[in-house]
């Protein structure tokens, strides 16, 4: 069989891809939130041709606050992680998920609302690694660890790796009135945090690309979404939520899966 990697993004048009209470009416209980999310996932699954219950995502230590683990921890998907009725409930406590064509139509990805999600595929072996890489994760060098996971688990050659950096807030929109406290590793943020007229502009994609380059991934193998989640009104944006309390809040999702190529 032959397969191709399908990469997709969701936004406000599909609905909120989160169970967090803050995104729902105060009258909603957990059952109500799960029912609503299930409807959104089913809509997305129908659009891209996969089962809406078959979506996996890592639970990062600085996002879910479940437990501590070494930076760059990854999980390679096996049948052991595909036992629940809804894979959304799977506790995959790590930074990075790996999946290959042994498990077609199983989605790996992450919800987001300004933070980049990166998808790195070894196109020769057809294995993919995904990670959520917001400012805190970039500071922990998760983009670098994502490539290292492919090298370690599959002995991937950098010449075979293609990387997609998903839609996120761009430097023109990501502004601080002081140097951000989370940028503790100055070498990681060199040339990626620029000051102009006492405003600090944060370039998340550039900081990711610098780490990818350090692992041997050339710019010709990197694709960056041009969408700015703050300025594009189709996307949920955490920054917009802070600046405009009346905006519609929620989370988008960036994911991928292997789909069988139908024979003609």
């Amino acid at each position: 069989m032959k397969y191709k990697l399908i990469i997709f993004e969701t936004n406000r048009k599909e609905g909120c891809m989160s169970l967090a209470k803050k995104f729902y009416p105060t009258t909603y209980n957990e059952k109500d939130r799960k029912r609503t999310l299930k409807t959104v996932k089913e809509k997305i699954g129908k659009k891209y041709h996969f089962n809406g219950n078959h979506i996996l995502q890592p639970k990062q230590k600085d996002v879910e606050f479940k437990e501590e683990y070494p930076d760059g921890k990854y999980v390679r998907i096996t049948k052991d992680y595909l036992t629940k009725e809804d894979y959304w409930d799977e506790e995959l406590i790590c930074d990075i998920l790996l999946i290959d064509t042994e498990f077609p139509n199983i989605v790996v990805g992450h919800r987001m609302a300004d933070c980049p999600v990166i998808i790195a595929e070894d196109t020769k072996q057809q294995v993919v690694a995904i990670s959520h890489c917001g400012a805190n994760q970039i500071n922990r060098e998760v983009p670098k660890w994502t490539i290292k996971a492919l090298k370690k688990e599959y002995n991937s050659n950098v010449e075979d790796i293609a990387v997609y950096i998903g839609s996120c807030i761009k430097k023109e929109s990501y502004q601080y009135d002081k140097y951000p406290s989370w940028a503790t590793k100055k070498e990681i943020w060199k040339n990626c945090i620029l000051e102009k007229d006492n405003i600090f502009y944060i370039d998340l994609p550039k900081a990711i690309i610098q780490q990818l380059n350090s692992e041997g991934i050339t710019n010709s193998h990197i694709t960056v979404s041009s969408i700015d989640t703050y300025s594009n009104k189709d996307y949920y944006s955490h920054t917009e939520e802070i600046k405009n309390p009346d905006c519609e809040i929620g989370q988008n999702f960036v994911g991928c899966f292997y789909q069988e190529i139908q024979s003609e």
Side-chain angles (χ1 to χ4, degrees):
M1 294 184 181
K2 294 184 178 180
Y3 299 91
K4 61 179 178 179
L5 184 70
I6 305 297
I7 295 175
F8 68 93
E9 298 188 355
T10 77
N11 54 44
R12 284 186 170 118
K13 293 179 180 179
E14 285 81 23
C16 178
M17 282 289 282
S18 173
L19 280 174
K21 290 181 181 180
K22 63 182 287 187
F23 300 130
Y24 295 89
T26 55
T27 55
Y28 276 35
N29 57 30
E30 184 178 8
K31 186 176 181 180
D32 295 327
R33 298 196 305 272
K34 284 188 173 182
R35 183 178 62 250
T36 303
L37 177 59
K38 180 177 176 64
T39 300
V40 176
K41 292 189 296 177
E42 286 176 347
K43 183 194 305 184
I44 296 164
K46 184 177 181 179
K47 181 177 181 179
Y48 294 103
H49 309 294
F50 63 83
N51 185 329
N53 283 329
H54 293 176
I55 300 175
L56 295 162
Q57 57 184 328
K59 295 193 173 182
Q60 291 177 307
K61 59 184 179 181
D62 44 10
V63 176
E64 306 289 348
F65 302 100
K66 292 283 184 177
E67 65 182 59
E68 183 62 40
Y69 56 77
D71 289 341
K73 179 185 176 185
Y74 66 83
V75 170
R76 178 176 175 175
I77 299 304
T78 66
K79 291 181 180 179
D80 293 340
Y81 300 113
L82 307 178
T83 60
K84 297 183 183 299
E85 180 180 355
D86 188 345
Y87 298 169
W88 196 270
D89 298 329
E90 189 65 56
E91 294 281 315
L92 298 168
I93 301 174
C94 59
D95 282 324
I96 302 151
L97 292 186
L98 300 168
I99 198 166
D100 56 40
T101 55
E102 185 180 352
F103 303 102
N105 301 315
I106 305 299
V107 172
V108 291
H110 205 284
R111 63 202 185 282
M112 64 85 181
D114 280 341
C115 294
V117 173
I118 68 172
I119 297 173
E121 184 192 17
D122 180 330
T123 59
K124 186 175 182 178
Q125 298 189 69
Q126 289 201 294
V127 55
V128 67
I130 72 97
S131 58
H132 166 263
C133 293
N136 287 322
Q137 293 79 40
I138 292 171
N139 197 68
R140 293 199 289 108
E141 301 181 270
V142 172
K144 180 183 75 174
W145 288 112
T146 303
I147 304 304
K148 286 185 177 294
L150 286 172
K151 292 178 178 178
K152 182 177 180 181
E153 191 68 17
Y154 291 91
N155 197 29
S156 293
N157 188 320
V158 292
E159 295 180 357
D160 299 323
I161 297 175
V163 181
Y164 172 72
I165 301 175
S167 301
C168 66
I169 191 168
K170 299 299 193 287
K171 67 177 181 179
E172 296 80 11
S173 304
Y174 199 11
Q175 303 173 14
Y176 272 64
D177 59 4
K178 60 182 179 180
Y179 194 89
S181 60
W182 40 256
T184 60
K185 298 179 180 178
K186 297 295 179 67
E187 69 279 5
I188 287 176
W189 298 102
K190 185 178 180 181
N191 301 320
C192 300
I193 300 179
L194 303 177
E195 181 184 5
K196 183 179 180 181
D197 299 328
N198 296 318
I199 299 294
F200 292 84
Y201 295 85
I202 320 298
D203 193 337
L204 298 179
K206 185 172 183 178
I208 291 172
I209 290 169
Q210 288 183 169
Q211 289 190 35
L212 297 175
N213 290 163
S214 74
E215 285 299 313
I217 309 298
T218 62
N219 289 354
S220 62
H221 285 215
I222 301 171
T223 301
V224 184
S225 169
S226 62
I227 293 173
D228 182 334
T229 48
Y230 176 71
S231 61
N232 187 309
K233 298 309 175 185
D234 286 339
Y235 281 73
Y236 295 109
S237 167
H238 179 64
T239 302
E240 183 187 11
E241 178 185 342
I242 293 172
K243 294 184 176 182
N244 177 18
D246 296 325
C247 75
E248 180 187 3
I249 62 175
Q251 287 191 306
N252 318 290
F253 188 89
V254 177
C256 64
F257 63 98
Y258 281 105
Q259 182 182 80
E260 183 181 351
I261 300 173
Q262 299 296 325
S263 300
E264 295 183 357

